Amino acid sequence: MNHKKKETMFQAASGSMPHPSDGARVIQMPQKQYDQMVKKASPASTYVKNCIMAFLFGGGICAFGQLLFWAYMQAGLTETHARISVSVTLIGIAAVLTAFKVFDNIAKIAGAGTIVPITGFANSVVSPAMEYKSEGFIMGMGAKMFVIAGPVLVYGITSSMVYGLVLYLIRLFT
């Protein structure tokens, strides 16, 4: 009976189990004890804090963008040119902060607050480019620059084209 009890004891959480013949030490324990160990070792959930920080930083970036818009309007730009200038400025600031490794430190605190606005796009283009610059300008930076942002661009452009086509067809027949 003791042998049966040992077979039903929990051995590991992952699907691949190390085998003692490989020199690995297999620790057997009941599932309940393992769950308690995992709970104790896992960091406490910070969902509320993460949401608040994302809201504050994301809102702060958007408020900064609005201030830039007003400044560009006061400088005499048209509304269209002011909006374009805000986007270019925010992308430029995020790219420079990424280049100086400041953006990642901000993102650790702000979480999704830095990813959702246009600044996250700039970071997703500049980060891989910097990482692969040692491989050269063409095969390194050029080839790897859109590793993260590329799929977003492809699906964003494709979905906008499909949406535009559907809208055109609806207006054509109504």
Side-chain angles (χ1 to χ4, degrees):
M1 182 156 182
N2 192 15
H3 184 275
K4 274 254 191 228
K5 187 175 181 183
K6 229 178 192 184
E7 286 178 6
T8 60
M9 293 180 92
F10 187 77
Q11 293 184 337
S14 65
S16 63
M17 181 70 189
H19 196 270
S21 65
D22 298 331
R25 184 172 158 218
V26 178
I27 301 172
Q28 295 180 337
M29 66 181 69
Q31 177 72 39
K32 189 174 182 180
Q33 184 181 356
Y34 177 77
D35 290 342
Q36 289 172 344
M37 285 177 55
V38 168
K39 189 175 183 179
K40 184 178 178 182
S42 298
S45 173
T46 57
Y47 293 120
V48 174
K49 177 188 163 255
N50 291 345
C51 288
I52 291 170
M53 295 306 285
F55 175 79
L56 292 175
F57 276 86
I61 291 169
C62 293
F64 179 65
Q66 186 64 43
L67 290 173
L68 285 173
F69 173 73
W70 289 333
Y72 287 133
M73 291 292 290
Q74 289 296 319
L77 271 64
T78 65
E79 185 175 336
T80 302
H81 288 120
R83 292 189 190 287
I84 292 168
S85 298
V86 168
S87 296
V88 170
T89 304
L90 289 175
I91 290 170
I93 290 170
V96 169
L97 290 175
T98 300
F100 288 111
K101 301 182 191 287
V102 174
F103 192 90
D104 290 340
N105 293 330
I106 295 169
K108 286 177 186 174
I109 299 167
T114 57
I115 296 171
V116 177
I118 200 166
T119 53
F121 172 76
N123 178 260
S124 70
V125 172
V126 175
S127 290
M130 288 179 50
E131 185 176 341
Y132 293 102
K133 71 180 176 184
S134 63
E135 295 179 22
F137 287 112
I138 306 293
M139 296 307 290
M141 288 175 58
K144 304 293 185 180
M145 186 180 298
F146 293 103
V147 168
I148 298 170
V152 174
L153 290 171
V154 168
Y155 289 109
I157 292 168
T158 303
S159 62
S160 66
M161 289 172 60
V162 169
Y163 175 77
L165 181 63
V166 169
L167 189 61
Y168 173 77
L169 292 173
I170 289 172
R171 289 185 179 170
L172 188 65
F173 295 108
T174 56

